[in-house]
Amino acid sequence: MPDLSDRHIFIIPVQDKFLLHAPLLKLSALVNRSAAGAIRAALASGAAAENADSRLQPLLDVLRQPPLLPPAPNGAEISPAFLGIVTTRACNSACVYCDFGAPGASGRAMDLQTAVAAVDWYARLLKQQEKELLEIHFFGGEPMTAPAVVETVVHRARLVAARERLTPYFEISTNGLCGPALLAFLGDYVNRVVLSFDGREDIQNLHRPLRGGRGSYPGVFAAAQYLSDSPAQLVIRCCVSQINVDIMEDTARWFCETFNPSLINFEIMQPVESAAAAGLYPPDPYEFAANFIKARRAAESFGIKTVYAADLSTEPVYTSCPVGSDTVIVSPDGRISSCYLLPEKWQEVGLDLALGEMRGRRELAINPAAVQNIRAMVTNKPRCEKCFCRWSCAGGCHVGNTYPGCSADYSDYCRQTRIISACSLLDELNLPEMADTLIDDREALPALACRESDRLMEWEV
Amino acid sequence: MSKQNRHSLLATAPSHILWTVEHNGIRIFNRQSDRHYVLEYPAAAVWDLLIRKRSIAQLIPILRAIQQVSAGEAVALVQQCLKDWHQQGLIEIEEPDGESVDHHPVQ
Ligand code: SF4
Ligand code: SF4
């Protein structure tokens, strides 16, 4: 259990004002320097409210409440946020920045019996835990290159859900290049289709060529059009490099005008060798954050939301990724872990995210000690302790960003996350125009993004 | 007809048959007869896979896994479904070359 005392109250400079942010008390406010100083002094001395400006009294009353920690998965038994099925590591595309082990990956698809065993295990667990939502996410490689696995899981889950009175929910991350019949299947059965689509033709073909160098744009465009009119929720996942960072706003507008997405998700490109060889690099974090906010405004004008995975969350969390929320991800070879990356990726940074394995082809064997270790790992993030995003971003990707022994200094990912989160706080306070000014202020941004500690009580007034 | 050919049969729904995916299965509407049919699992899976042009050879392993039955039982289920739906006028059965045929038993 982290020692919180008053360390959960943060102060963030926003040009000449300050954001007071206490996520565990669900309080945020914009204050000026003297108010921030008075609040700090009153909290430090435990002074009677009368000593401070009486207008600050309501804030002080809340800030003196004990913080409410978010509910964490607990108990000896695993309680998955969802079941992930990696149908295959193979892919029919050749995205230059792929980090999922697809290039050169074996084409082996998950055995159908393994897939059924995973669904049955999950349904049994939900019944035991008196839960209702049978939530299954498909990953790859490209999951639709193993369509029989997807069809089997969907139909088995629906059959079991009907029998056990559970509610099935399916999500898939796909490149959409699976042809009209399988797209129709996704449209009819999958609740949320996350389509990898990086923008207009030149960008899409540069970032995500097909094998042999042909462009993937026509296929993905057709998929986005089809899914726009289908019952499935279309989420466009757009990957941003230094090449498309300054056209994010235009890209968001184009997505909204051309398709019917329910969400647009912008993520930065991972710095992998193959991308560097193609001249592609992650974007500058300041540029990314500023353009993300501009893209958000553009999409908002169409009533469409943009998301960034580590952005401010509505509730405080211990982790913003599947790892740490007991998620169970089954790989094609029957290995069970909490992250969908290949084990080599997490082992490289000294992490063990394995949860267990299939016993034979019919039983999932989860190691309870592994569950506890992963739960503990996500709460131990030295870099994040003093960061105001610690209860929303909460470390971001545990493999790529805040692995054990990583630098205590903020990464580019941290800097962009801190800017985006501060802008989201301003939006929540109904001050979007302040966020819009902030992102163009090249002095204020580093002051916010690089600040070593956001803790109010460590602030030197 | 060879066994291979029988396993490649395709079923299609005539244009007067509409169908939708529902929470617990599939609802079919015959516009000609004005009749509704609700298919629950496992028949719903058979319908979905057949109508989406999965050949019977592709369908059997999936059905075996979904239902946890032997190949023989999966084949029997498909046969029964094909017979019922063909009689009800819900499907037409085609050879892979597109020729429409009367109901064939599946081996
Ligand atoms: S320090 Fe970085 S990783 Fe940790 S919470 Fe803050 S932004 Fe996220
Ligand atoms: S640790 Fe990183 S790669 Fe693994 S699930 Fe979480 S965000 Fe994804």
Side-chain angles (χ1 to χ4, degrees), chain A residues 258-328:
Chain A
T258 316
F259 309 106
N260 184 22
S262 57
L263 285 176
I264 303 170
N265 173 210
F266 286 104
E267 295 296 336
I268 53 162
M269 194 200 83
Q270 292 305 308
V272 295
E273 270 175 36
S274 53
L280 291 175
Y281 301 93
D284 170 83
Y286 296 101
E287 296 265 307
F288 176 79
N291 285 305
F292 175 82
I293 299 302
K294 290 177 184 166
R296 171 181 280 173
R297 299 285 181 257
E300 263 166 8
S301 67
F302 293 85
I304 293 168
K305 269 184 83 170
T306 44
V307 289
Y308 167 69
D311 198 359
L312 214 61
S313 49
T314 41
E315 295 292 330
V317 291
Y318 286 102
T319 177
S320 58
C321 97
V323 172
S325 50
D326 276 12
T327 306
V328 167

XYZ file of all heavy atoms in Angstrom, chain A residues 258-328:
537
model
N -14.813 11.490 -43.823
C -14.861 10.390 -44.791
C -15.506 9.127 -44.229
O -16.121 8.370 -44.961
C -13.418 10.060 -45.262
O -12.749 11.293 -45.528
C -13.408 9.207 -46.515
N -15.329 8.918 -42.920
C -15.844 7.690 -42.309
C -16.749 8.055 -41.132
O -17.029 9.220 -40.899
C -14.669 6.801 -41.854
C -13.639 6.576 -42.928
C -12.402 7.212 -42.877
C -13.923 5.761 -44.019
C -11.464 7.032 -43.889
C -12.993 5.571 -45.033
C -11.765 6.210 -44.965
N -17.129 7.009 -40.417
C -18.013 7.258 -39.283
C -17.441 6.595 -38.033
O -18.042 5.683 -37.472
C -19.397 6.673 -39.628
C -20.402 6.973 -38.563
O -20.237 7.915 -37.789
N -21.443 6.153 -38.469
N -16.254 7.066 -37.607
C -15.648 6.406 -36.448
C -16.343 6.836 -35.153
O -16.861 7.951 -35.063
C -14.204 6.923 -36.461
C -14.275 8.246 -37.150
C -15.436 8.184 -38.100
N -16.328 5.942 -34.168
C -16.852 6.374 -32.873
C -15.719 6.990 -32.060
O -15.957 7.783 -31.161
C -17.483 5.211 -32.129
O -16.547 4.191 -31.978
N -14.495 6.606 -32.371
C -13.325 7.159 -31.679
C -12.154 7.191 -32.649
O -12.071 6.348 -33.544
C -12.883 6.240 -30.538
C -13.653 6.164 -29.238
C -13.011 5.088 -28.361
C -13.636 7.484 -28.517
N -11.248 8.138 -32.412
C -9.966 8.108 -33.127
C -8.873 8.046 -32.064
O -8.848 8.855 -31.137
C -9.756 9.349 -34.005
C -10.917 9.491 -35.002
C -8.429 9.267 -34.750
C -10.923 10.817 -35.744
N -8.023 7.057 -32.211
C -6.966 6.846 -31.224
C -5.621 7.202 -31.857
O -5.246 6.606 -32.864
C -7.038 5.372 -30.796
C -5.883 4.952 -29.901
O -5.471 3.816 -29.912
N -5.346 5.862 -29.128
N -4.927 8.182 -31.303
C -3.594 8.512 -31.810
C -2.540 7.947 -30.870
O -2.614 8.148 -29.656
C -3.409 10.038 -31.888
C -4.155 10.678 -33.018
C -5.331 11.381 -32.782
C -3.688 10.596 -34.322
C -6.024 11.983 -33.816
C -4.385 11.206 -35.367
C -5.543 11.903 -35.115
N -1.579 7.240 -31.443
C -0.472 6.710 -30.654
C 0.821 7.034 -31.376
O 0.830 7.144 -32.599
C -0.588 5.187 -30.509
C -1.810 4.717 -29.725
C -1.807 5.155 -28.264
O -0.718 5.414 -27.718
O -2.903 5.252 -27.672
N 1.912 7.117 -30.611
C 3.183 7.393 -31.294
C 3.798 6.088 -31.808
O 3.592 5.026 -31.242
C 4.212 8.110 -30.390
C 4.406 7.339 -29.081
C 3.830 9.548 -30.175
C 5.673 7.731 -28.381
N 4.567 6.251 -32.882
C 5.263 5.112 -33.450
C 6.348 4.634 -32.490
O 6.994 5.446 -31.826
C 5.917 5.596 -34.743
C 6.409 4.553 -35.639
S 7.639 5.270 -36.756
C 9.075 5.199 -35.723
N 6.525 3.326 -32.414
C 7.593 2.784 -31.567
C 8.929 2.897 -32.301
O 9.002 2.644 -33.499
C 7.313 1.319 -31.239
C 6.099 1.130 -30.336
C 6.199 1.940 -29.060
O 7.196 1.876 -28.351
N 5.178 2.740 -28.795
N 9.978 3.278 -31.574
C 11.284 3.406 -32.245
C 11.914 2.042 -32.473
O 12.595 1.517 -31.603
C 12.111 4.224 -31.236
C 11.467 3.961 -29.911
C 10.031 3.599 -30.144
N 11.668 1.448 -33.601
C 12.272 0.140 -33.894
C 13.231 0.293 -35.088
O 13.107 1.235 -35.867
C 11.198 -0.938 -34.205
C 10.325 -1.218 -33.014
C 10.344 -0.552 -35.404
N 14.142 -0.648 -35.188
C 15.194 -0.550 -36.209
C 14.631 -0.453 -37.625
O 15.100 0.332 -38.441
C 16.099 -1.782 -36.138
C 17.274 -1.605 -35.213
C 18.085 -2.878 -35.080
O 18.209 -3.610 -36.081
O 18.564 -3.125 -33.957
N 13.613 -1.275 -37.879
C 13.079 -1.307 -39.250
C 12.495 0.057 -39.622
O 12.586 0.487 -40.771
C 12.003 -2.380 -39.366
O 11.025 -2.205 -38.358
N 11.939 0.747 -38.653
C 11.372 2.071 -38.929
C 12.497 3.065 -39.194
O 12.438 3.855 -40.150
C 10.512 2.523 -37.756
N 13.524 3.002 -38.355
C 14.658 3.922 -38.545
C 15.270 3.697 -39.929
O 15.635 4.657 -40.618
C 15.686 3.708 -37.443
N 15.363 2.429 -40.330
C 15.933 2.123 -41.640
C 15.094 2.745 -42.760
O 15.604 3.088 -43.825
C 16.032 0.616 -41.828
N 13.812 2.906 -42.502
C 12.930 3.512 -43.512
C 12.820 5.029 -43.299
O 11.996 5.687 -43.943
C 11.547 2.866 -43.427
N 13.630 5.549 -42.374
C 13.628 7.002 -42.143
C 12.447 7.478 -41.307
O 12.069 8.647 -41.359
N 11.885 6.586 -40.521
C 10.747 6.974 -39.689
C 11.131 6.931 -38.212
O 11.725 5.959 -37.740
C 9.561 6.023 -39.928
C 8.891 6.128 -41.290
C 7.817 5.065 -41.433
C 8.277 7.520 -41.480
N 10.751 7.990 -37.509
C 11.106 8.107 -36.088
C 9.877 8.548 -35.303
O 8.956 9.154 -35.864
C 12.228 9.153 -35.909
C 13.473 8.789 -36.684
C 13.676 9.279 -37.967
C 14.397 7.899 -36.145
C 14.794 8.898 -38.704
C 15.519 7.526 -36.868
C 15.721 8.022 -38.141
O 16.812 7.642 -38.853
N 9.895 8.295 -33.994
C 8.785 8.817 -33.189
C 8.767 10.342 -33.283
O 9.812 10.977 -33.463
C 9.131 8.365 -31.761
C 10.097 7.242 -31.931
C 10.854 7.524 -33.206
N 7.604 10.943 -33.153
C 7.530 12.404 -33.287
C 8.112 13.096 -32.059
O 8.229 12.479 -30.996
C 6.019 12.644 -33.366
C 5.411 11.499 -32.624
C 6.301 10.326 -32.870
N 8.428 14.359 -32.221
C 8.825 15.177 -31.081
C 7.643 15.223 -30.095
O 6.503 15.436 -30.507
C 9.146 16.583 -31.607
C 9.332 17.565 -30.492
O 10.434 17.612 -29.954
O 8.348 18.252 -30.127
N 7.892 15.010 -28.812
C 6.770 14.903 -27.864
C 5.931 16.181 -27.749
O 4.709 16.120 -27.553
C 7.443 14.570 -26.532
C 8.880 14.933 -26.698
C 9.194 14.795 -28.160
N 6.607 17.333 -27.882
C 5.852 18.594 -27.792
C 4.943 18.762 -29.011
O 3.801 19.179 -28.908
C 6.815 19.786 -27.668
C 7.616 19.732 -26.383
C 8.928 19.282 -26.378
C 7.042 20.112 -25.171
C 9.655 19.203 -25.200
C 7.769 20.038 -23.987
C 9.063 19.586 -24.010
O 9.775 19.508 -22.839
N 5.537 18.420 -30.157
C 4.744 18.509 -31.401
C 3.551 17.559 -31.332
O 2.445 17.895 -31.720
C 5.601 18.050 -32.591
C 6.784 18.902 -32.876
C 6.447 19.904 -33.938
O 5.971 19.483 -34.995
O 6.641 21.103 -33.678
N 3.833 16.345 -30.844
C 2.764 15.357 -30.784
C 1.652 15.843 -29.864
O 0.464 15.800 -30.233
C 3.287 13.994 -30.304
C 2.190 12.975 -30.134
C 1.660 12.308 -31.234
C 1.655 12.709 -28.880
C 0.619 11.386 -31.090
C 0.612 11.787 -28.722
C 0.093 11.130 -29.825
N 2.035 16.307 -28.678
C 1.008 16.721 -27.702
C 0.181 17.882 -28.263
O -1.061 17.875 -28.204
C 1.669 17.114 -26.391
N 0.881 18.876 -28.834
C 0.168 20.054 -29.344
C -0.774 19.650 -30.488
O -1.944 20.069 -30.536
C 1.175 21.099 -29.831
N -0.266 18.811 -31.377
C -1.102 18.416 -32.524
C -2.208 17.462 -32.123
O -3.260 17.412 -32.772
C -0.223 17.834 -33.631
C 0.537 18.932 -34.349
O -0.078 19.872 -34.845
N 1.849 18.848 -34.363
N -1.972 16.704 -31.061
C -3.052 15.847 -30.566
C -4.231 16.711 -30.098
O -5.395 16.423 -30.404
C -2.566 14.966 -29.405
C -3.682 14.154 -28.797
C -4.093 12.963 -29.380
C -4.360 14.604 -27.664
C -5.157 12.228 -28.851
C -5.416 13.882 -27.121
C -5.811 12.690 -27.720
N -3.919 17.776 -29.385
C -5.003 18.651 -28.891
C -5.719 19.306 -30.085
O -6.955 19.408 -30.108
C -4.450 19.717 -27.905
C -3.816 19.027 -26.679
C -5.533 20.704 -27.479
C -4.736 18.106 -25.892
N -4.953 19.702 -31.089
C -5.589 20.306 -32.285
C -6.472 19.278 -32.995
O -7.581 19.592 -33.446
C -4.530 20.852 -33.246
C -3.840 22.094 -32.683
C -2.732 22.603 -33.584
C -2.044 23.776 -32.910
N -0.771 24.127 -33.528
N -5.968 18.052 -33.081
C -6.760 16.988 -33.718
C -8.024 16.725 -32.900
O -9.100 16.486 -33.448
C -5.920 15.717 -33.822
N -7.869 16.788 -31.589
C -9.043 16.568 -30.724
C -10.113 17.630 -30.987
O -11.288 17.332 -31.094
C -8.599 16.630 -29.259
C -9.748 16.622 -28.286
C -9.280 16.708 -26.852
N -8.844 15.401 -26.396
C -8.247 15.186 -25.218
N -7.989 16.198 -24.403
N -7.911 13.974 -24.859
N -9.651 18.863 -31.137
C -10.621 19.948 -31.400
C -11.328 19.715 -32.751
O -12.522 19.907 -32.881
C -9.913 21.311 -31.452
C -9.214 21.695 -30.178
C -10.180 22.146 -29.097
N -9.449 22.523 -27.905
C -9.355 21.761 -26.806
N -9.979 20.603 -26.722
N -8.663 22.186 -25.763
N -10.522 19.313 -33.739
C -11.107 19.098 -35.074
C -12.163 18.002 -35.005
O -13.270 18.149 -35.543
C -10.009 18.723 -36.069
N -11.844 16.902 -34.337
C -12.791 15.777 -34.270
C -14.011 16.147 -33.434
O -15.138 15.740 -33.754
C -12.093 14.550 -33.694
N -13.759 16.937 -32.380
C -14.878 17.363 -31.524
C -15.933 18.111 -32.319
O -17.124 18.008 -32.042
C -14.366 18.310 -30.424
C -14.101 17.630 -29.105
C -13.276 18.536 -28.177
O -13.050 19.732 -28.516
O -12.850 18.041 -27.144
N -15.487 18.855 -33.342
C -16.458 19.634 -34.113
C -17.380 18.711 -34.930
O -18.405 19.144 -35.417
C -15.744 20.654 -35.011
O -15.029 19.964 -36.005
N -16.997 17.430 -35.045
C -17.879 16.443 -35.685
C -18.569 15.575 -34.634
O -19.229 14.596 -34.963
C -17.064 15.512 -36.598
C -16.485 16.188 -37.801
C -15.273 16.861 -37.734
C -17.159 16.152 -39.020
C -14.734 17.480 -38.853
C -16.623 16.760 -40.143
C -15.410 17.436 -40.065
N -18.357 15.903 -33.365
C -18.952 15.105 -32.282
C -18.221 13.789 -32.074
O -18.773 12.844 -31.516
N -16.947 13.716 -32.524
C -16.190 12.457 -32.401
C -15.030 12.650 -31.425
O -14.327 13.665 -31.461
C -15.689 12.010 -33.794
C -16.912 11.625 -34.645
C -14.725 10.845 -33.697
C -16.627 11.431 -36.099
N -14.842 11.663 -30.576
C -13.807 11.765 -29.547
C -12.468 11.244 -30.054
O -12.418 10.273 -30.803
C -14.186 10.898 -28.342
C -14.980 11.647 -27.284
C -15.251 10.771 -26.084
C -14.073 10.769 -25.133
N -14.376 10.126 -23.854
N -11.395 11.895 -29.607
C -10.059 11.345 -29.871
C -9.507 10.847 -28.541
O -9.770 11.442 -27.497
C -9.087 12.420 -30.395
O -9.250 13.576 -29.611
C -9.324 12.728 -31.832
N -8.753 9.787 -28.595
C -8.172 9.274 -27.356
C -6.676 9.030 -27.501
O -6.166 8.785 -28.603
C -8.860 7.960 -26.892
C -10.255 8.211 -26.398
C -8.865 6.895 -27.976
N -6.028 9.116 -26.372
C -4.610 8.799 -26.237
C -4.547 7.886 -25.011
O -5.094 8.220 -23.952
C -3.828 10.104 -26.036
C -2.409 9.931 -25.590
C -1.450 9.394 -26.439
C -2.013 10.312 -24.306
C -0.142 9.245 -26.020
C -0.704 10.172 -23.874
C 0.231 9.630 -24.735
O 1.532 9.473 -24.325
N -3.923 6.725 -25.158
C -4.078 5.660 -24.141
C -3.738 6.095 -22.720
O -4.373 5.650 -21.772
C -3.232 4.461 -24.539
N -2.739 6.966 -22.581
C -2.305 7.310 -21.227
C -2.939 8.612 -20.725
O -2.515 9.169 -19.711
C -0.789 7.426 -21.204
N -3.935 9.079 -21.406
C -4.586 10.353 -21.041
C -5.290 10.224 -19.690
O -5.487 9.123 -19.168
C -5.604 10.716 -22.140
C -6.017 12.181 -22.105
O -5.554 12.935 -21.226
O -6.829 12.572 -22.982
N -5.715 11.361 -19.190
C -6.468 11.422 -17.940
C -7.617 10.408 -17.964
O -8.328 10.297 -18.959
C -7.080 12.819 -17.886
C -7.233 13.485 -16.541
C -5.878 13.657 -15.884
C -7.914 14.817 -16.715
N -7.778 9.674 -16.896
C -8.872 8.699 -16.859
C -9.997 9.242 -15.983
O -9.764 10.106 -15.137
C -8.365 7.371 -16.294
O -7.644 7.583 -15.104
N -11.185 8.732 -16.195
C -12.299 9.237 -15.399
C -12.176 8.780 -13.943
O -12.574 9.480 -13.033
C -13.653 8.765 -15.968
O -13.508 7.407 -16.353
C -14.094 9.575 -17.149
N -11.614 7.595 -13.739
C -11.385 7.080 -12.392
C -9.889 6.862 -12.218
O -9.204 6.501 -13.178
C -12.096 5.727 -12.220
C -13.612 5.786 -12.291
C -14.235 6.514 -11.118
O -13.635 6.473 -10.016
O -15.294 7.124 -11.313
N -9.363 7.029 -10.992
C -7.947 6.705 -10.799
C -7.671 5.221 -11.048
O -8.520 4.381 -10.766
C -7.691 7.041 -9.318
C -8.947 7.551 -8.756
C -10.022 7.501 -9.788
N -6.503 4.943 -11.618
C -6.165 3.549 -11.960
C -4.738 3.226 -11.509
O -3.911 4.115 -11.340
C -6.269 3.297 -13.482
C -7.704 3.353 -13.972
C -5.398 4.292 -14.271
N -4.440 1.945 -11.341
C -3.084 1.492 -11.041
C -2.299 1.233 -12.318
O -1.090 1.110 -12.292
C -3.118 0.194 -10.232
C -3.523 0.385 -8.797
C -4.808 0.078 -8.375
C -2.619 0.881 -7.854
C -5.188 0.257 -7.060
C -2.987 1.067 -6.531
C -4.277 0.745 -6.141
O -4.643 0.929 -4.846
N -3.015 1.080 -13.427
C -2.350 0.787 -14.693
C -3.252 1.250 -15.830
O -4.477 1.173 -15.709
C -2.057 -0.725 -14.821
O -1.476 -1.004 -16.098
C -3.304 -1.584 -14.667
N -2.638 1.755 -16.898
C -3.480 2.165 -18.028
C -3.355 1.166 -19.176
O -3.793 1.421 -20.285
C -3.099 3.576 -18.501
O -1.744 3.634 -18.879
N -2.738 0.028 -18.924
C -2.610 -1.004 -19.960
C -3.127 -2.320 -19.403
O -3.446 -2.406 -18.222
C -1.164 -1.084 -20.430
S -0.169 -2.367 -19.663
N -3.244 -3.342 -20.242
C -3.797 -4.612 -19.741
C -2.986 -5.217 -18.585
O -3.529 -5.891 -17.722
C -3.751 -5.520 -20.972
C -3.780 -4.588 -22.147
C -3.030 -3.382 -21.704
N -1.674 -4.949 -18.590
C -0.835 -5.521 -17.532
C -1.196 -4.876 -16.197
O -1.240 -3.663 -16.079
C 0.656 -5.277 -17.854
C 1.547 -5.689 -16.690
C 1.040 -6.028 -19.118
N -1.454 -5.702 -15.215
C -1.771 -5.178 -13.882
C -3.254 -5.167 -13.615
O -3.675 -4.915 -12.481
N -4.058 -5.401 -14.649
C -5.494 -5.495 -14.377
C -5.944 -6.953 -14.566
O -7.081 -7.209 -14.917
C -6.285 -4.525 -15.259
O -5.898 -4.675 -16.599
N -5.004 -7.840 -14.314
C -5.291 -9.290 -14.333
C -5.674 -9.817 -15.716
O -6.171 -10.944 -15.824
C -6.414 -9.644 -13.344
C -5.887 -9.847 -11.922
O -4.727 -9.503 -11.684
O -6.647 -10.356 -11.076
N -5.467 -9.010 -16.761
C -5.836 -9.465 -18.104
C -5.097 -10.760 -18.456
O -3.908 -10.899 -18.168
C -5.464 -8.376 -19.132
O -6.080 -7.170 -18.707
C -5.945 -8.750 -20.520
N -5.817 -11.662 -19.057
C -5.242 -12.949 -19.454
C -5.158 -12.980 -20.970
O -6.177 -12.854 -21.652
C -6.142 -14.099 -18.954
C -5.757 -15.424 -19.604
C -6.039 -14.214 -17.437
